[in-house]
Amino acid sequence: MAAEDADATLSGLGEFAVIDRLVAGRRQPSFVTLGPGDDAAVVAAADGRTVVCTDMLIENRHFRLDWSSPHDVGRKAIAQNAADIEAMGGRSTAFVVGFGAPGDTASARAIELADGMWHEANLLGAGIVGGDTVQAPQWVISVAALGDLGGRDPVRRSGAQPGDVVAVAGELGRSQAGYTLWERGIRHFGELRMRHLVPQPPYGQGALAARAGATAMTDVSDGLLADLEHIATSSGVHIDITRHALRPDVDALAAAAAEADADPLQWVLGGGEDHALVATFAGTVPPGWRVLGTVVSGPARVTVDGDTWHGDTGWQSF
């Protein structure tokens, strides 16, 4: 942005000038055949199907601008949608973004938000192909993601069978740990604090799991137990995981938990927004995945070492 524009606001520039600045200089991937500039974009669907998901972030509900930079918020908005595409066994190809903010928002902050979105999209080889802007009383970001299954069937939550193993790709409990550190004003453990602001989904592992024959899969957005409950209920199975298998995550969080007077196992079992992937497999799990437990016959439920977990199991939207 030019020096004379440094103090420009969204209302001062106007909608179309803002959009022009948000899309200027961006390079789209080859499968985006028509990007921003018309009433809609055109994105190629290689195998004739498109995976679609959407998610919203509301200021002071899903992020705080006194904790997060706009760049952080942009990365998070893309990452949490990309994780849903991964959980179906696909790869993200394009994103459409709706952005609402007060009219006196500095346009430089909107551009920083877009930069964060493009940073995360570039990690995936995806593009941001369109969207909308509107005046709102607080920041609201709505993202729709498009994805490609690469000719494979989608991996749903409903395919787990007794005898399958349960495995995870990615790390657990980091976002909840970071949130607690921010909330309690604990200024060290910077990496964990950042993991709350910007999740790190294990990009590419969803498609790898699909190729390896995953029978069911989801991302850990609400909490490990809450999201495994979705698989258990959809599949009509009992899932049992072990504390021992979670030891690497618990150990990684132990020092921060001691500082915050918290239980690291609770962070691991009930903390959301890590956007790790959890799946069930009938055979050997692929590289990058570690076994957490097993699928057994019985009423649909999730247990830890055979017992019901009596702590928090995950995030509730309402």
Side-chain angles (χ1 to χ4, degrees):
M1 180 177 292
E4 62 269 20
D5 295 333
D7 296 326
T9 65
L10 298 183
S11 59
L13 286 173
E15 178 183 6
F16 296 110
V18 169
I19 292 172
D20 287 344
R21 294 181 187 215
L22 293 179
V23 303
R26 312 293 186 180
R27 296 186 63 183
Q28 299 288 352
S30 60
F31 40 79
V32 176
T33 60
L34 183 63
D38 285 271
D39 290 319
V42 179
V43 180
D47 71 357
R49 300 170 298 170
T50 300
V51 191
V52 182
C53 69
T54 188
D55 214 340
M56 296 180 69
L57 288 87
I58 309 296
E59 183 182 355
N60 297 325
R61 177 66 170 170
H62 302 105
F63 63 91
R64 290 175 47 168
L65 289 171
D66 57 336
W67 291 0
S68 301
S69 71
H71 194 276
D72 296 334
V73 177
R75 291 192 62 186
K76 180 177 182 178
I78 295 300
Q80 67 181 36
N81 281 274
D84 285 336
I85 300 296
E86 290 277 338
M88 299 299 291
R91 67 178 183 91
S92 298
T93 56
F95 300 91
V96 179
V97 179
F99 175 51
D104 62 359
T105 299
S107 58
R109 290 171 67 77
I111 292 171
E112 187 181 352
L113 173 75
D115 287 343
M117 291 180 172
W118 272 99
H119 176 106
E120 200 71 17
N122 285 337
L123 297 179
L124 297 153
I128 299 173
V129 299
D132 191 22
T133 60
V134 65
Q135 185 166 316
Q138 68 200 83
W139 280 30
V140 179
I141 302 156
S142 179
V143 176
L146 309 179
D148 176 28
L149 290 168
R152 299 176 298 273
D153 289 334
V155 183
R156 303 178 61 185
R157 297 173 176 174
S158 56
Q161 298 288 331
D164 288 354
V165 296
V166 182
V168 66
E171 297 173 326
L172 300 168
R174 271 58 170 184
S175 180
Q176 183 61 50
Y179 174 82
T180 304
L181 295 169
W182 278 103
E183 186 182 47
R184 299 184 183 178
I186 299 172
R187 298 297 179 184
H188 40 292
F189 303 105
E191 182 178 351
L192 287 177
R193 284 157 55 90
M194 181 55 68
R195 289 290 290 274
H196 174 65
L197 307 183
V198 181
Q200 295 181 12
Y203 293 138
Q205 289 294 339
L208 180 63
R211 290 194 295 270
T215 54
M217 185 159 51
T218 191
D219 79 309
V220 183
S221 55
D222 296 327
L224 178 63
L225 294 182
D227 289 309
L228 283 174
E229 185 71 33
H230 297 320
I231 291 179
T233 300
S234 296
S235 299
V237 296
H238 173 191
I239 292 175
D240 186 56
I241 61 174
T242 71
R243 286 176 172 83
H244 177 74
L246 298 170
R247 179 55 54 188
D249 296 299
V250 172
D251 288 349
L253 301 174
E259 181 82 8
D261 192 23
D263 178 2
L265 183 59
Q266 175 62 68
W267 286 346
V268 171
L269 291 173
E273 294 196 329
D274 285 304
H275 298 292
L277 299 175
V278 63
T280 57
F281 296 88
T284 304
V285 303
W289 291 75
R290 55 192 170 98
V291 173
L292 298 183
T294 56
V295 180
V296 296
S297 299
R301 61 182 182 135
V302 179
T303 54
V304 181
D305 290 327
D307 294 323
T308 299
W309 176 255
H310 294 291
D312 292 335
T313 60
W315 166 264
Q316 297 289 331
S317 293
F318 293 95

